[in-house]
Amino acid sequence: MRRYDDGDEVDMAVVGCGAGGATFAQRLAHAGWRVVCLEAGPFWDPEKDWVSDEWGSHHLYWNEPRVVGGSHPVPLGSNNSGRGVGGSMVHFAGFAPRLHPSDFRTRSLDGVGADWPLEYGELKPFYERLERELPVAGQFWPWGDPHPHPHPPHPVSGNGEVMLAGCAALGIEARVGPVAIANGRFGDRPHCIYRGFCLQGCKVNAKASPLITHVPDAIVHGAEIRPDSMVTRVETDREGRRVTGVRYVRGGRERFQRAAAVAVAGYSIETPRLLLNSANARFPEGLCNDHDLVGRYVMVQGAPQTAGRFAEEIRMYKGPPPEVSSEDFYETDPAKPYRRGFSVQTVSPLPIMWAEHVAAQGHWGADLRRRMADYTHWATLGALCEFLPQADNRVTLADETDRHGLPVARFDHSHCPNDGLLLEAAREVMERILKAAGATELMTVERYAHLVGGCRMGRTPQEGVVDGDLRSFAIPNLFVTDGSVLPTQGSANPALTIMALADRAATRLIARGGA
């Protein structure tokens, strides 16, 4: 791997090596740019660092201190953040759907949320390219912009069979996929062995993540991936007009990497936190925060899970957690009292998470042990509900500091009435599907998933922190290339959209010849 000195002015310093940062860095490296990607966590070796064990995989998560608040506080950690090269995609479930065309125009179409500064059609070719690169496997997708997937669907496990049967009985359309998991060998990656540990890091490397897809290629083309490097501040010139590089801590020493441009890709909590911690004379309330938008409109998806017990063994853990999905409830239904919608997909909690679900229902002691022994008879579905962006769902700086002496992030989150209606509707649909498949007992737990927002795109500086090319309005050589730029979130897992946005931004930047 090529190494740059701190004193070398690289063409682009990328902060964070997850879905957005790694894709952005890889595209620029292909074009001959001098790129350093600084990652706070380690450079993982799946063979040595990952284990087929729920508890033993917690080191994959961002477990640095954070403060949460609001009327519906969101637990931060395992299901919505990552640590190390590859980011949260090293422990995402592998589900890789696209957003719908309507997601880009929710304000115009449904009177809620915000319109994006670009249309679905502008992102479509980047979706298609990344689906081939990851690759994505699944059946023909009839929802949104109907499209095939480059690889055929995987075999369906017991959990998937339950959902397919229940949906068929109710007349609900359901399909297998799309998952970013190789179906058969793909390059030097092996076939999925259906062990069910996607959320703990795929030890066999069948599941795609930047760690094994775009990072190795970025290195081949001259990028440096610099792990264990916690960026603490983005620096600017004296006037605050252009960024000059980033301060970071590595090996206990503070260092400064010079850069002609900077892209921040720390995701929806750490990206706003870094910009707020980078306040200067021109931006006393935080870098690029001249319109009080940095940290605002952070969204999570409501992700309730409903399980049903069956007389026969299901063994839901055998296979990727997401296998079968339906987007029949994704779009706004004028007959319903809520706007926008939700998707439903199979999920397969492993025993520790399953024990948490059971205990949350009030079962304890001998009753909990009995129900844990019954684990193989349960099937579980999960919903992704499109919670609406709200200005007061935001990241600010807390009074507490971390081990580097920096103020930690505080994330306040509350539901709006539409959010609660979506949760109830999703639960009712999942219960109907499981009952139609033959479930004799039901159990629902409320959860959240998939942080996005916090530095959203807009057409003007009054609407967003960055424009449609992910360039900040306030500082022309500062970019944000992660999920914090999404103005709305849809009812889809965001990884593919984050990568597509980073790909598009890099492509347009390269075409312009520089930052």
Side-chain angles (χ1 to χ4, degrees), residues 144-158:
D145 174 27
H147 61 279
H149 292 103
H151 283 230
H154 287 266
V156 177
S157 73

Side-chain angles (χ1 to χ4, degrees), residues 16 37 39-40 82 89 108 151 164 180 195 241 257 270 318 338 364 399 404 414-415 418 455 492 505 507 515:
C37 191
E39 166 58 46
M89 279 188 72
S108 297
H151 283 230
L164 288 172
R195 55 198 277 278
R241 300 294 176 183
Q257 174 64 58
E270 292 305 311
K318 298 293 288 184
Y338 50 81
W364 199 247
D399 294 332
H404 304 293
S414 302
H415 289 175
N418 199 76
C455 290
T507 300

Side-chain angles (χ1 to χ4, degrees), residues 266-344:
Y267 209 22
S268 290
I269 303 296
E270 292 305 311
T271 287
R273 178 195 176 204
L274 176 60
L275 295 180
L276 294 173
N277 274 323
S278 299
N280 60 25
R282 183 185 171 200
F283 299 101
E285 303 302 319
L287 206 60
C288 302
N289 200 26
D290 41 345
H291 293 282
D292 191 27
L293 289 173
V294 171
R296 290 194 182 271
Y297 300 102
V298 177
M299 294 163 278
V300 295
Q301 287 167 328
Q305 294 185 0
T306 299
R309 190 192 186 280
F310 293 82
E312 66 274 19
E313 285 195 343
I314 303 300
R315 295 189 179 273
M316 60 181 167
Y317 57 89
K318 298 293 288 184
E323 286 192 299
V324 176
S325 181
S326 176
E327 293 183 351
D328 269 9
F329 309 94
Y330 193 108
E331 306 284 355
T332 293
D333 182 346
K336 300 296 184 182
Y338 50 81
R339 302 298 88 186
R340 303 304 295 162
F342 55 91
S343 61
V344 178

